[in-house]
């Protein structure tokens, strides 16, 4: 899912839904049918500033035309899975480090 609107941090944020759901016009659903969903999520998540920049400042929102026109480069699926796994493990290490820092500060 990609958030289409929002003046704060919302517009351009991405997430993976692991349940069946419906949404309104404020979200765009991207179905990773022939791609690894974790890879597509990571690609879009890393493009957050670029996505926001496509709409300018203020209340301008993304739209389906903009989302559909995004180039998504897809290496072979094995590479997609490997890239996503490496990035997942890095994020997990960062999260554990943040937990240790918070515990030390307490």
């Amino acid at each position: 899912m990609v958030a289409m609107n929002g003046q704060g941090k919302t517009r351009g944020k991405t997430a993976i839904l692991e349940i069946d759901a419906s949404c309104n016009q404020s979200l765009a659903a991207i179905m990773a049918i022939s791609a690894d969903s974790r890879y597509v999520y990571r690609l879009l998540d890393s493009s957050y500033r670029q996505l926001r920049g496509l709409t300018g400042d203020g209340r301008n929102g993304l739209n389906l035309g903009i989302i559909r026109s995004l180039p998504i480069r897809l290496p072979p699926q094995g590479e997609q899975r490997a890239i996503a796994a490496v990035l997942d493990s890095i994020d997990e290490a960062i999260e554990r480090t943040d937990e240790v820092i918070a515990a030390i500060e307490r």
Side-chain angles (χ1 to χ4, degrees), residues 34-40 42 75-88:
S34 61
D36 182 81
S37 60
R38 300 285 316 159
Y39 173 82
V40 173
R42 292 296 186 166
Q77 280 205 344
E79 288 180 40
Q80 293 175 40
R81 284 189 291 276
I83 290 167
V86 167
L87 294 174
D88 286 346

Side-chain angles (χ1 to χ4, degrees), residues 4 12 15 23 31-33 44 49-50 59 64 70 76 90 93 95-96:
M4 304 291 265
C23 66
M31 304 293 289
I33 295 169
L44 292 170
R49 289 178 193 231
Q50 177 188 359
R59 296 187 52 86
L64 289 179
L70 292 174
I90 290 169
E95 187 176 315
R96 286 192 305 270

Side-chain angles (χ1 to χ4, degrees), residues 59-70:
R59 296 187 52 86
N60 298 328
L62 295 166
N63 61 53
L64 289 179
I66 292 171
I67 298 298
R68 286 183 181 124
S69 70
L70 292 174

